[in-house]
Amino acid sequence: ECMLVVSGDKHAYISKNFEDKKDFISLFMKNVQFVESYDDIEDDILKFSIASFDDQMEQRIEKIQKQLKPHLKLVTTGNVWFDIFYKDVNKGTTLTHLLEILKINPEEATQGILVSGNKDDEINFFSQDSRQMTNGGMYIPLKGERFDGHNFIESAFQTGAQAIISEKDVNYEDKIVIKVKDTYQALKDMASYLRNHRPVKVVGVTGSVGKTSTRDMVYSVVKQKYKTLKTEGNYNNEIGLPLTILRYHDEEVLVLEMGMNHLQEMSRLSMIARPDIACITNVGTAHIGELGSRENILKAKLEITDGMKEGSTLIINQDNDMLQIVKLPHLNVVRVGKGKEASIQASHIVLE
């Protein structure tokens, strides 16, 4: 018998009788979206930190209870406390159903209205390009200066799209159609929703130069131990970053390149990605035409910290004259460079 307590203090406690604890932890962390991390409390109790807890949790738990009877018993002990007792956990009966129920809900994520289709259908691919659609994908029509993606909805369905979000009224009764006020904002909302409901760590990389090289080096190291997803190409802006996050499947780490041209742009990216670790390679003169000064470029780059929790790690290039002056007491600032002031110091560098 296994007991799960989801609580308003953002923690879940597991008391379990499970033969292989590592397998149980791996399965739970991988699939139950509100879990961020866990700690051993005692031999038979695990404490799971959860990513989000909102006023919809009670409805979700009640839905689980209805679908899993008689395998599950729900006891409500307060407005935000739920005790769930699992039976036959070793057989995977109740856990499998739970994992299915807690999948991302696109209608909830976009804050839109479901016009047609089954919202429980699985969506496994997202794109703003109708030519890239595959079976089971969602097409996201965006408005640009020279085109309107809504004009290619029919083409997207012909190439395999199963779902769309749309600002305009469209009629496709056999497809998932979600009406939203702004598809551009809905794209960002979906990425933010997924980030907040998945047990994944995020590494954000920015800088005037060296972003892509640093991103690729970080990825090549991290993937040796963890299942990792990285930004591809130049998908580092307010369209590309959300689309990268929406590529998430079951990875443990996301390595995201984050670019900007103006103040507040990096801040918006950071609030979507919520990096656990961020890296600023340097502050140069790129975009000085838009920002006016290197001081403003530094300010814009530091916006990568806006979505970071207190105590998160920021890695900076101590050899860069602008980054040397950075002081952020609420973060763990790791200074990397050749000088003595660097907390991680490079030496004996050989160029080949």
Side-chain angles (χ1 to χ4, degrees):
E1 197 170 75
C2 175
M3 181 177 74
L4 166 64
V5 180
V6 181
S7 69
D9 69 350
K10 306 274 181 101
H11 293 97
Y13 298 83
I14 300 293
S15 174
K16 49 93 188 103
N17 178 14
F18 201 76
E19 288 184 2
D20 191 332
K21 185 168 76 172
K22 288 185 178 179
D23 286 348
F24 177 79
I25 292 170
S26 176
L27 187 63
F28 201 87
M29 293 278 290
K30 181 177 178 180
N31 292 285
V32 181
Q33 280 74 50
F34 50 73
V35 174
E36 282 188 334
S37 60
Y38 79 92
D39 297 299
D40 281 287
I41 304 301
E42 297 176 10
D43 288 342
D44 62 343
I45 299 178
L46 303 172
K47 174 182 175 181
F48 287 83
S49 297
I50 64 177
S52 63
F53 190 93
D54 53 43
D55 56 7
Q56 300 298 314
M57 187 64 76
E58 183 170 5
Q59 290 90 321
R60 293 188 188 121
I61 299 298
E62 289 175 353
K63 181 179 179 182
I64 294 170
Q65 183 189 23
K66 290 178 182 178
Q67 295 198 17
L68 301 188
K69 286 181 179 180
H71 301 286
L72 175 143
K73 178 182 179 183
L74 172 67
V75 180
T76 303
T77 57
N79 290 332
V80 292
W81 286 81
F82 306 96
D83 296 353
I84 305 176
F85 296 83
Y86 289 93
K87 296 180 180 179
D88 300 322
V89 173
N90 260 340
K91 298 179 182 179
T93 306
T94 59
L95 187 57
T96 299
H97 284 88
L98 175 64
L99 305 185
E100 291 296 319
I101 292 166
L102 291 177
K103 281 184 178 177
I104 186 170
N105 180 335
E107 182 184 7
E108 180 181 351
T110 61
Q111 302 180 32
I113 299 172
L114 183 66
V115 177
S116 62
N118 183 359
K119 67 180 180 181
D120 293 324
D121 285 351
E122 185 172 349
I123 297 170
N124 51 36
F125 179 75
F126 299 82
S127 179
Q128 88 291 10
D129 188 338
S130 62
R131 299 165 297 181
Q132 295 180 353
M133 292 314 305
T134 60
N135 291 333
M138 170 179 276
Y139 174 56
I140 304 168
L142 301 177
K143 292 181 178 179
E145 294 180 359
R146 295 177 295 175
F147 64 88
D148 183 347
H150 290 81
N151 296 331
F152 304 99
I153 289 176
E154 180 66 32
S155 174
F157 282 137
Q158 290 176 357
T159 51
Q162 173 64 22
I164 63 164
I165 56 175
S166 174
E167 298 175 18
K168 299 182 179 181
D169 293 325
V170 294
N171 183 21
Y172 294 93
E173 294 183 358
D174 60 334
K175 304 291 185 180
I176 297 174
V177 176
I178 300 173
K179 179 76 177 295
V180 298
K181 292 182 179 180
D182 185 332
T183 54
Y184 178 56
Q185 184 61 46
L187 167 63
K188 294 187 286 185
D189 289 343
M190 284 194 294
S192 179
Y193 182 94
L194 189 146
R195 168 64 179 101
N196 291 333
H197 290 76
R198 295 296 187 272
V200 65
K201 296 298 182 182
V202 173
V203 180
V205 180
T206 192
S208 295
V209 294
K211 292 187 294 294
T212 301
S213 298
T214 303
R215 175 203 74 192
D216 289 344
M217 287 189 286
V218 171
Y219 171 76
S220 68
V221 173
V222 174
K223 73 174 183 178
Q224 302 302 316
K225 184 174 181 180
Y226 302 100
K227 191 167 185 180
T228 307
L229 174 71
K230 70 167 181 173
T231 301
E232 296 293 347
N234 61 351
Y235 273 47
N236 62 10
N237 59 18
E238 289 187 78
I239 295 175
L241 181 133
L243 286 171
T244 299
I245 294 175
L246 290 172
R247 285 171 46 215
Y248 172 91
H249 181 59
D250 59 357
E251 291 81 9
E252 299 168 278
V253 179
L254 302 182
V255 180
L256 302 178
E257 181 178 326
M258 301 168 67
M260 62 84 209
N261 295 315
H262 304 90
L263 287 168
Q264 294 303 309
E265 188 174 354
M266 183 67 70
S267 178
R268 293 191 293 270
L269 293 179
S270 182
M271 296 307 293
I272 296 170
R274 295 198 304 110
D276 297 286
I277 301 172
C279 170
I280 305 177
T281 61
N282 52 53
V283 173
T285 57
H287 309 302
I288 198 167
E290 293 86 357
L291 293 168
S293 67
R294 291 184 72 211
E295 287 74 18
N296 278 343
I297 294 173
L298 173 63
K299 182 179 179 181
K301 295 299 183 186
L302 287 173
E303 290 173 0
I304 197 172
T305 66
D306 287 359
M308 299 174 70
K309 295 179 181 178
E310 183 173 351
S312 298
T313 297
L314 173 66
I315 302 170
I316 61 175
N317 177 4
Q318 180 64 18
D319 294 337
N320 181 264
D321 62 325
M322 299 300 292
L323 290 172
Q324 286 177 0
I325 64 175
V326 169
K327 294 182 180 180
L328 297 170
H330 67 290
L331 296 176
N332 172 32
V333 179
V334 177
R335 301 175 185 274
V336 180
K338 295 179 290 184
K340 295 180 180 179
E341 299 81 6
S343 48
I344 298 178
Q345 189 173 349
S347 61
H348 300 92
I349 300 171
V350 177
L351 297 178
E352 295 183 353

